Amino acid sequence: MDRSDMGTKGSGGACGVCGGRTYLIERQGDRAHARICDCSVECKVCGGRGHNLIQQEATFSKKVGPRKYDVLAPCACTLRARRVARYNEVGLPGVLAHATFDNYRPIDDAHNRPKTVAQHFAHHYDKKGTNKGFILSGPVGTGKTHLLAATLAHLVLELGVETRYIEISLLYATIRRGFQEGKSGGEIIGPLSEVEVLAIDELGKGRGSQFELETMDELIARRYNANRTTLFATNYSLEPERKVTRAVSGYQSTDDAKNVLREAELLRERVGERIYSRLCEMCTFVELPKDTPDHRRARQQGEMRGHHAPAKMRAHR
């Protein structure tokens, strides 16, 4: 099923609200939430029945030859409703409700590669074949989670693929709470192991405790053994070995110092050889340049400069 199965506004041109997609994605609390656009709530194709008669042709006997017959098939509105409901189970952060490939803003060709890889994956996903995932590495605030969200939204809403999103430290917290409720870690990991495409954010984050490493190892091992597609984002370098770097002289803020330490640490060291080796087979590695600016910080600084600008200058912007 592709976008044509979802249906677009049939007459009067594309809707000015949804742009002809027939659905909207909005922020609802701390989660991204999809809903059917008002232009498509009442289906003019099936009249609200949810299905249509379509004609098919098949040969049941060589003597009679091919025969045409009518069958009931789900209407585009039914498929749309299923995909919207499926999207609302993904668990994407509300702050990324409007994340798309179009509004990802790379500063140059080097910073554009993550978008190219993620977009190619989404638009060439083979629902019947094997799909190699990807892992995005880079400094904080560089759009890695944005691209995960854009990828999952396309897979679910345009292709009908079952997906989930998890932030690794929140998974650890969920399992710990489950222990208090008498649940095992396997009960929580199980559904994540079976979903068609899983996006794991902040890989390598945590204290590196035995519990965390065993949880991560079990989840990735299950998906690896089942040949399921997994996407990742991490702040740690994907390099196989440490590079010798010179110490930076002069003043450094606490955040800058933490970032330097994080950049010096490798994902391979954070997750261990077993998981890293499997990642090499499961994913295409994409690493953003170390000097990629933090978009959130840059936006805040721009707002501060605008706020402190003379009133006359602000009035003419």
Side-chain angles (χ1 to χ4, degrees):
M1 292 178 284
D2 54 23
R3 170 172 280 190
S4 61
D5 296 307
M6 289 282 283
T8 55
K9 195 170 175 24
S11 61
C15 171
V17 178
C18 69
R21 295 182 305 173
T22 70
Y23 60 84
L24 297 169
I25 305 177
E26 303 166 329
R27 182 172 185 168
Q28 191 173 94
D30 64 346
R31 288 285 181 264
H33 181 83
R35 67 175 177 86
I36 296 171
C37 182
D38 291 341
C39 72
S40 301
V41 171
E42 295 183 8
C43 182
K44 297 179 180 179
V45 178
C46 70
R49 294 186 303 273
H51 57 267
N52 292 303
L53 281 174
I54 63 170
Q55 196 170 73
Q56 292 185 350
E57 184 176 294
T59 301
F60 298 100
S61 71
K62 293 181 179 180
K63 182 178 181 180
V64 176
R67 296 289 299 271
K68 292 182 179 180
Y69 58 99
D70 293 333
V71 295
L72 279 176
C75 180
C77 67
T78 299
L79 300 177
R80 181 190 308 123
R82 289 175 183 172
R83 293 182 183 184
V84 165
R86 181 167 281 184
Y87 177 88
N88 293 333
E89 297 174 350
V90 175
L92 284 169
V95 70
L96 292 169
H98 301 292
T100 66
F101 292 120
D102 289 338
N103 59 26
Y104 177 82
R105 298 284 183 259
I107 60 176
D108 56 32
D109 290 343
H111 300 84
N112 191 52
R113 185 165 181 257
K115 174 185 175 181
T116 301
V117 170
Q119 192 167 20
H120 184 273
F121 171 88
H123 287 276
H124 293 84
Y125 185 83
D126 184 357
K127 294 183 67 176
K128 296 182 180 179
T130 301
N131 300 273
K132 188 173 185 178
F134 59 79
I135 178 168
L136 307 178
S137 166
V140 297
T142 52
K144 301 183 298 297
T145 308
H146 180 120
L147 289 174
L148 289 183
T151 300
L152 297 186
H154 180 88
L155 292 179
V156 178
L157 292 168
E158 302 300 335
L159 302 179
V161 178
E162 182 189 17
T163 74
R164 290 291 185 279
Y165 167 90
I166 59 167
E167 200 269 282
I168 198 67
S169 62
L170 295 181
L171 174 63
Y172 298 149
T174 300
I175 294 176
R176 289 190 179 100
R177 286 196 300 272
F179 289 157
Q180 298 173 358
E181 299 169 0
K183 297 180 181 178
S184 67
E187 289 180 71
I188 297 170
I189 290 177
L192 296 175
S193 305
E194 297 171 2
V195 70
E196 190 171 346
V197 177
L198 175 67
I200 301 177
D201 204 358
E202 299 285 1
L203 183 63
K205 183 179 179 180
R207 293 173 295 178
S209 66
Q210 184 175 357
F211 160 73
E212 292 175 349
L213 291 174
E214 288 178 352
T215 298
M216 186 165 35
D217 182 71
E218 180 180 353
L219 176 56
I220 293 177
R222 285 194 185 192
R223 295 193 61 80
Y224 173 83
N225 292 332
N227 199 27
R228 301 196 187 281
T229 306
T230 312
L231 314 177
F232 301 89
T234 182
N235 293 328
Y236 296 95
S237 174
L238 303 177
E239 295 289 339
E241 297 179 355
R242 284 178 180 265
K243 293 182 178 179
V244 178
T245 57
R246 295 181 179 179
V248 179
S249 60
Y251 171 78
Q252 283 184 298
S253 68
T254 302
D255 287 342
D256 289 337
K258 288 180 179 179
N259 287 338
V260 169
L261 289 173
R262 182 183 293 113
E263 290 170 4
E265 197 166 7
L266 306 178
L267 181 66
R268 179 180 180 180
E269 298 171 338
R270 296 292 302 177
V271 302
E273 292 293 335
R274 173 184 165 92
I275 292 177
Y276 183 81
S277 175
R278 287 178 169 173
L279 293 177
C280 291
E281 184 176 341
M282 295 169 71
C283 298
T284 297
F285 280 26
V286 184
E287 187 150 7
L288 282 154
K290 296 293 188 291
D291 62 351
T292 305
D294 182 334
H295 298 312
R296 291 187 287 265
R297 183 182 293 187
R299 184 166 55 246
Q300 180 201 42
Q301 292 172 345
E303 291 172 352
M304 290 176 65
R305 285 194 294 269
H307 177 73
H308 293 298
K312 185 179 289 186
M313 290 179 62
R314 292 202 300 271
H316 287 84
R317 285 186 176 177

